[in-house]
Amino acid sequence: MDRVLLEAGNIEAGYGPVTALRGVSLRLAAGEIVAVLGANGAGKSTLLKVLSGTLAPTRGEVRLEGEPIGSATPDRLVRRGLVHVPEGREVFPLLSVRDNLVAGAYLRDDADAVAADFERMYGYFPVLRERRAQPAGLLSGGEQQMLAIARALMARPRVLLLDEPSLGLSPALVKEIFAIVARINAEAGVGVLLVEQNAAQALATAVRGYVLELGRIVMEESSARLLANDDIREFYLGIKDRGVRGQRRWKRRKQWR
Ligand SMILES: Nc1ncnc2c1ncn2[C@@H]1O[C@H](COP(=O)(O)OP(=O)(O)O)[C@@H](O)[C@H]1O
Ligand SMILES: [Mg+2]
């Protein structure tokens, strides 16, 4: 495997009495796009909060390029090359599109390269150029998602954590956004951890994936193998075409529960 960018070992985390992650381990190598699939409430957002320094784990360790993140704040981690695009986008609604991008570069002091990066972002997302003077709050949901990703990229991350970028968007927009994510990964070598309920699109974009259920990783496979897996097809892709063998396995699975 290529150089490991991000690694989580045996993470436990939660909110007071609520335990949301129960011993989660994963890794992301340089240049990879990796999906984390899971139903609502599985712990996906909690995992990204731990990986980005937003929530301290109660157990386990996160390493960024080999170094434990310890109690580093999200700011410190942005400096170290890791940026988190949280669920629900969270652009600055009153700032213009352009000023949102400026905000994404606030830790940088290489003004010329920052100027070039505005152009790069407008190249990825032409609609943001058209709307650069408008308040971000007036953008559509899809445009806000594009802006949230572009703002994150303005920090020049080596690791990008995306929390459900497809949420609430039309299939066409989802496709467009995932295509850009793939392009960013290919052109800039950014490692992407893609958290999604939209398994079909996520697995079409990622090279491999983890499946998170009730705070535990229950599967770790290449995207091709996950797409061919009966349980994944039924629960995450909504395809019910189990053969006889699949039905027997499903009965066994129900007995475990
Ligand atoms: N701020 C919070 N306070 C208490 N419980 C929370 C909070 N955020 C999430 N949870 C709980 O933690 C579990 C995992 O949530 P989350 O990580 O948001 O899942 P996902 O992103 O996969 O939908 C759920 O049971 C959820 O109810
Ligand atoms: Mg979530």
Side-chain angles (χ1 to χ4, degrees), residues 45 87 163-164:
S45 295
E87 199 172 351
D163 197 345
E164 300 213 40

Side-chain angles (χ1 to χ4, degrees), residues 13-21 37-49 87 163-164 195 197 212 214-215:
Y15 309 88
V18 179
T19 303
L21 299 177
L37 309 179
N40 202 12
K44 303 181 300 298
S45 295
T46 304
L47 177 60
L48 290 198
K49 285 183 214 165
E87 199 172 351
D163 197 345
E164 300 213 40
V195 158
Q197 286 189 59
L212 193 60
L214 299 175

Side-chain angles (χ1 to χ4, degrees), residues 90-137:
E90 298 183 15
V91 297
F92 302 118
L94 300 177
L95 293 186
S96 69
V97 166
R98 191 173 188 285
D99 285 345
N100 268 271
L101 294 181
V102 170
Y106 79 110
L107 290 171
R108 293 173 59 182
D109 50 16
D110 49 344
D112 289 353
V114 168
D117 277 349
F118 285 122
E119 287 308 309
R120 197 159 65 90
M121 294 314 136
Y122 294 147
Y124 289 138
F125 304 109
V127 68
L128 296 183
R129 186 200 301 276
E130 285 164 29
R131 300 191 171 243
R132 63 188 181 278
Q134 293 183 13

Side-chain angles (χ1 to χ4, degrees), residues 162-194:
L162 295 179
D163 197 345
E164 300 213 40
S166 77
L167 205 66
L169 306 187
S170 71
L173 260 178
V174 172
K175 229 174 170 169
E176 190 180 332
I177 286 180
F178 280 30
I180 301 289
V181 169
R183 195 175 142 199
I184 290 158
N185 167 263
E187 287 178 9
V190 179
V192 182
L193 198 63
L194 182 59

